[in-house]
Amino acid sequence: MLDLKFIRENPEAVRRAIQVKGVALDLDELLQLDREVVALRQRVEALQTERNANAKLVPRAAPDERPALIQKGKDLGKELGALEPELRAAEERLRGLLLRVPNLPHPSVPVGQDDSENVELRREGQLPQFAFAPLDHVELLERQGWSDPERVARVSGSRSYLLRGDAVLLEMAVLMFAMDFLRGRGLEPLSTTALVRPETLVGSGHFPGGEDQVYKVEGDDLMLAGTAEVPINSLYAGEQLSHEQLPLAFAGLSAAFRSEAGSAGRDVRGLIRVHEFRKVEQYVLCEASEEEGLKWFDRLLDNAEALLRALELPYRVVQNCTGDMGAGKVLMYDLETWVPSEEKYRETHSCSYLGDWQARRTGLRYRDEHGKLVYAHTLNNTGIATPRILVPLLENHQQADGTIRVPAALRPYLGGREVLGVPVREVAAV
RNA sequence: GGGGGGUUGGCCGAGUGGUUGAAGGCAACGGUCUUGAAAACCGUAGUGGGGCAACCCACCGGGGGUUCGAAUCCCUCACCCCUCGCCA
């Protein structure tokens, strides 16, 4: 959400953001409605002033003057009773529009329609050179007896997954490693539920607009968040923090649920796109300056890159264009990790700087050093998301015999083991 | 799931229908005093909105109602605490 005053004073900048981000919103409708709300409010307030003044006269009036004053109060009340709902409805409509106003993209963001116009910034790491035909992760898992796609589909439907045996240890190792690693870089570990109230999703910016991506819980007014960003963003909702409390930086572990409505047929095989997964999310609440925000952006990005390097995975850094970055974002980079079987980089991390757009929705304020109450800035980036990360991890580190080499960084979490799995393939004599 | 008690300003905490936007305390800020600091004393001070301004409006967990007038009365929802039962 942007400051209404800012929108009034900078309509052209906002109009441009709406346009380059491809948001369906009529700014003139919003501005018109805003003027109507102001006018209505002034009428209501004038009536309220009169009513309040009148009510104060009653107890001091002589008994014979009271009936007239009370009658006047009744009349004013009636008039107000008619006007107030009108004002409330107009305000609600205005807020509805306001929630859809996108944040202004940073000047460095390339203008584009969709992900095809994202810009690759750099590539890191060496692509693996296999002296054999590499297997894809589905094949590897099945041969090792680490998955059971048929059965789990019977239990949980499509886009579900199941791991068994050492693959479970690997998944836990990856999560533990990410938590430890981020803690070492100054983030506070946090474990949270995915079950959240609907207003938290408005706060994060997923609503309005993303309703069909979210699972709702029958019988309770609760939903299942697709990322710990949602509950963490709302943790301090409505509070007035002191600037000494900032920054707040978390490594948040949670389950994540996504309905994946609209992606039918995409990535139906394997572990890339599932309805329920686990994720360590980096989330930061910092002071309200772009300098501070961008500093954290670099830090969160570097954390994620360092994690991928430690896992010995090749990846590239992509800057998302205006059309692919989401309404609330000022700046967004994706990390895409190499998936040998697809001969492609696939998104495993997403780093975002939101300015005060989220905090304004959530009511996340702090007193700055001058005692002024301001909205904080927020950022988020993936730490590690599993099972998706297992796809490049298994595929890049597979060996000729179908076993998996364990990157050194993970070995402490796997009892020192350097290899997982048993030989499941003939190794061709060279 | 049953019963009881709560939710007031940054924090603690008064306040059961009429100058209460809200006593008091703490914290904060400005000043006096002091070589400096502390203490003491004086003063300022909630959030949001409208207006050039004087000033006005809203907000005492959320929503609704009663009333000329509600922090105060009623309904409802959420959350917190205690307690009984159940349970990983």
Side-chain angles (χ1 to χ4, degrees), chain A residues 213-263:
Chain A
Q213 286 297 319
V214 176
Y215 287 114
K216 292 150 193 68
V217 173
E218 182 79 37
D220 278 297
D221 196 19
L222 292 169
M223 301 186 174
L224 291 167
T227 163
E229 173 193 347
V230 176
I232 301 178
N233 168 57
S234 279
L235 251 194
Y236 294 88
E239 295 194 28
Q240 299 180 15
L241 305 173
S242 71
H243 68 274
E244 289 94 349
Q245 287 174 270
L246 299 180
L248 287 164
F250 298 105
L253 172 69
S254 80
F257 296 84
R258 299 189 183 179
S259 77
E260 296 295 348
S263 56

Side-chain angles (χ1 to χ4, degrees), chain A residues 273-313:
Chain A
R273 194 178 297 274
V274 291
H275 287 309
E276 176 183 352
F277 56 100
R278 301 166 224 290
K279 184 154 66 80
V280 175
E281 178 81 351
Q282 308 183 63
Y283 194 88
V284 170
L285 258 155
C286 73
E287 288 191 22
S289 83
E290 187 168 288
E291 190 191 348
E292 186 73 5
L294 292 176
K295 218 165 73 191
W296 272 104
F297 185 84
D298 289 342
R299 253 181 92 172
L300 298 191
L301 186 69
D302 185 61
N303 288 348
E305 289 194 50
L307 273 163
L308 287 177
R309 281 197 301 272
L311 295 176
E312 299 171 36
L313 295 172

Side-chain angles (χ1 to χ4, degrees), chain A residues 272 320 332 334-337 345-350 388:
Chain A
I272 285 275
N320 298 67
M332 176 179 183
D334 279 351
L335 295 185
E336 300 180 349
T337 307
Y345 289 97
R346 298 294 310 254
E347 177 188 333
T348 55
H349 293 69
S350 188
R388 184 177 281 191

